[in-house]
Amino acid sequence: MSDTKFSKAITDQGFQSQVLQAKGLQLVDFWAEWCGPCRVLGPVVDSLAEEYQGRAEVFKLNADENQATPAQFGIRGLPTVLFFKDGQLVDQVIGNVPRDVLKLAIERHL
């Protein structure tokens, strides 16, 4: 998955500056090409990126192509969405969950 109009692809190299040093709320969707549930959740994450444009940044990290960041945060299952506020990990959602579950997590940290 590459950049969409509202979400951005991110790599291990950009993670520090774009997420851990950023202010505000960042969501990072960890996914892989082979992961069926990731493909289902991807459009949901994209729609939330559009809905929360200007209030939260949404990134997508391919866990097969960028293995250091998933290892750093102990990601063991895909899809996983991590929520960072002002560079600090504040929440996580694992698996293909309903849109409302992600939306509630966003609202809780805005």
Side-chain angles (χ1 to χ4, degrees), residues 8 18-19 22-28 48 52-59 81-91 102-110:
K8 301 173 190 126
Q18 292 180 284
V19 177
K23 294 292 181 201
L25 183 63
Q26 283 77 40
L27 284 70
V28 182
L48 290 168
Y52 287 94
Q53 180 185 12
R55 297 192 293 160
E57 279 204 75
V58 178
F59 298 97
V81 179
L82 297 185
F83 298 79
F84 294 85
K85 186 157 189 177
D86 298 330
Q88 299 297 311
L89 179 62
V90 293
D91 209 346
L102 292 173
K103 188 170 175 150
L104 283 171
I106 293 169
E107 290 291 336
R108 188 168 44 246
H109 299 294
L110 279 177

Side-chain angles (χ1 to χ4, degrees), residues 9-101:
I10 192 170
T11 64
D12 287 338
Q13 291 74 26
F15 197 85
Q16 178 77 26
S17 63
Q18 292 180 284
V19 177
L20 298 181
Q21 294 175 353
K23 294 292 181 201
L25 183 63
Q26 283 77 40
L27 284 70
V28 182
D29 176 17
F30 292 81
W31 67 282
E33 199 66 49
W34 52 263
C35 171
C38 298
R39 291 186 191 170
V40 174
L41 190 65
V44 173
V45 171
D46 289 339
S47 73
L48 290 168
E50 181 177 5
E51 182 176 341
Y52 287 94
Q53 180 185 12
R55 297 192 293 160
E57 279 204 75
V58 178
F59 298 97
K60 295 184 175 215
L61 187 138
N62 183 319
D64 284 340
E65 295 174 0
N66 300 279
Q67 297 180 2
T69 303
Q72 178 182 353
F73 291 97
I75 306 255
R76 294 176 189 227
L78 298 175
T80 293
V81 179
L82 297 185
F83 298 79
F84 294 85
K85 186 157 189 177
D86 298 330
Q88 299 297 311
L89 179 62
V90 293
D91 209 346
Q92 70 176 357
V93 174
I94 300 169
N96 180 21
V97 297
R99 184 178 197 279
D100 289 346
V101 171

